[in-house]
Amino acid sequence: MILDLLFPNRCLHCNRIIEADLLVCDLCFGQIHFTHYDYSKNNPVKEQCKLSFPVENTYALIQFEEDSLSRKIIHELKYSNREITGKILAEWTIERLDFRELRPDLLLSVPLHPKKQRERGYNQLHLYTEVLSKYYEIPFDHQLIKRNYYSKAQALKDKKHRLETINTFSLTKPITGKHILIIDDVFTTGTTVSSIAWEILNAGDNKVSVLVMAMDV
């Protein structure tokens, strides 16, 4: 296409021209720091979650170091209007995540406030969640929980304000007896997933696990 010739897709790291459905070139792919966590065992995400709420299993795809390629990838997903990045991240996750006998019953992505979603044009987690849902044959529900307040991006908040998440989320319908996998983009303090987890846990005889695209170390 003419647009592909005029504005070719380029590697996020070295700026080399690459195919339209890629984020990085083959040479730079090795610069992505995958965690290699085991979903069924202890890992840094699980240890952090356990400080705030009862959690079953956890997984993070990549490390989110300062000035890293991993950080560029997440920012591309969230702020550069490239929703397709979620599909690519989902494919990388599928290659590395094996639920085995610990499969959840439902996939639940962290919601944006409706105003924020209108501003961005999409929820950066929806396509990611839907690709995982199709591959693992686990249903998803984008409407189960809602964000009650509009706020600026977590990346623009200081640590004190990131902790102010009381009553940030609420369930839109009853749910009980389910094992729900909460999906978020970046795990930093864990307060977002903790707030959602307690809404789910307090609703009935439910269990929660956590999957994040990136772990902020």
Side-chain angles (χ1 to χ4, degrees):
M1 294 177 64
I2 294 177
L3 287 179
D4 292 333
L5 294 174
L6 295 175
F7 306 102
N9 187 37
R10 294 183 178 273
C11 173
L12 291 179
H13 195 54
C14 71
N15 210 38
R16 183 182 286 110
I17 294 176
I18 56 176
E19 294 180 22
D21 59 347
L22 298 178
L23 291 176
V24 296
C25 67
D26 290 341
L27 292 176
C28 292
F29 186 79
Q31 300 297 315
I32 302 171
H33 295 164
F34 292 98
T35 67
H36 305 293
Y37 292 165
D38 189 324
Y39 176 77
S40 65
K41 297 180 180 178
N42 267 359
N43 56 59
V45 177
K46 187 169 186 177
E47 291 301 317
Q48 188 75 15
C49 287
K50 284 164 60 178
L51 297 175
S52 303
F53 61 92
V55 65
E56 301 298 317
N57 308 287
T58 60
Y59 183 79
L61 177 64
I62 56 180
Q63 302 283 3
F64 195 67
E65 302 100 337
E66 191 73 30
D67 299 322
S68 67
L69 178 53
S70 299
R71 185 177 289 263
K72 289 180 183 177
I73 290 170
I74 297 299
H75 282 201
E76 187 77 2
L77 171 67
K78 296 180 69 172
Y79 307 119
S80 298
N81 199 32
R82 285 193 66 185
E83 187 179 10
I84 190 63
T85 305
K87 178 178 182 294
I88 297 171
L89 285 162
E91 291 169 349
W92 293 349
T93 302
I94 288 166
E95 292 171 0
R96 293 163 177 82
L97 175 59
D98 183 2
F99 289 120
R100 294 189 286 273
E101 71 279 5
L102 302 173
R103 290 167 58 87
D105 301 314
L106 183 69
L107 306 184
L108 174 66
S109 53
V110 173
L112 295 174
H113 187 274
K115 181 180 178 181
K116 177 66 67 63
Q117 187 158 330
R118 287 195 299 271
E119 291 173 351
R120 187 171 293 174
Y122 62 95
N123 181 317
Q124 71 274 11
L125 295 172
H126 281 182
L127 183 56
Y128 177 82
T129 301
E130 289 161 16
V131 173
L132 296 183
S133 172
K134 182 176 180 180
Y135 177 81
Y136 292 112
E137 297 182 334
I138 301 171
F140 65 87
D141 189 339
H142 293 327
Q143 310 303 323
L144 177 61
I145 199 159
K146 67 176 183 178
R147 186 183 290 264
N148 296 322
Y149 306 110
Y150 175 84
S151 63
K152 61 184 177 180
Q154 286 281 358
L156 302 178
K157 296 181 181 180
D158 58 31
K159 187 172 182 179
K160 175 183 177 182
H161 289 98
R162 289 181 188 178
L163 296 175
E164 296 174 355
T165 58
I166 298 175
N167 299 324
T168 300
F169 302 97
S170 60
L171 289 172
T172 61
K173 54 189 174 185
I175 187 166
T176 187
K178 297 294 184 180
H179 179 188
I180 299 175
L181 182 67
I182 303 170
I183 298 175
D184 202 2
D185 45 29
V186 181
F187 186 97
T188 305
T189 64
T191 52
T192 297
V193 294
S194 176
S195 180
I196 293 174
W198 279 116
E199 290 295 324
I200 295 168
L201 293 169
N202 289 333
D205 183 24
N206 299 309
K207 298 187 294 185
V208 294
S209 291
V210 173
L211 165 63
V212 293
M213 296 175 176
M215 171 71 174
D216 190 346
V217 296

